[in-house]
Amino acid sequence: MTMLKARIIVLLSGLVLPYAARLPRGSEWLHQYTDQAPMAWLFLGACNAVAWSAILAVSFLYRRPSSLLAPSLPGFGFLAWAHYSLDLAADAQAAIALIFIPVFALAPILVGAAIGYLIDRRAGSQGVA
């Protein structure tokens, strides 16, 4: 796999993840995100772009596509958990969490990015492809 393909996978995963994380709780939960105007879909996508664009940004530090797993797993894992557990019908202010979820995901992404950088450099110094 090339780095370009890995970046495309990160982008597509970031776009689909908020909706896919809602599926295990049923169609009611999915409809909380999808039964909105097109501008709401764009808003959700723009907010989540903060998280997946951070993963894309750190990917330029790596030489190997496998190093992208280090920031992607904790970052997307946190995003999936947060979108899975957010009940928009619970409170009128619950939608504010849609703005803060990707911002809070930056912490696990940056920790994973540092680990991925170390793994990438160590693999490069040992000649592993």
Side-chain angles (χ1 to χ4, degrees), residues 41-52 79 98-103:
W41 287 58
L42 291 174
F43 176 75
L44 181 61
C47 288
N48 279 320
V50 170
W52 58 258
L79 286 172
L98 294 174
I99 297 170
F100 290 104
I101 287 172
V103 174

Side-chain angles (χ1 to χ4, degrees), residues 39-63:
M39 289 304 290
W41 287 58
L42 291 174
F43 176 75
L44 181 61
C47 288
N48 279 320
V50 170
W52 58 258
S53 64
I55 296 172
L56 289 179
V58 298
S59 74
F60 290 99
L61 299 173
Y62 302 149
R63 295 181 196 142

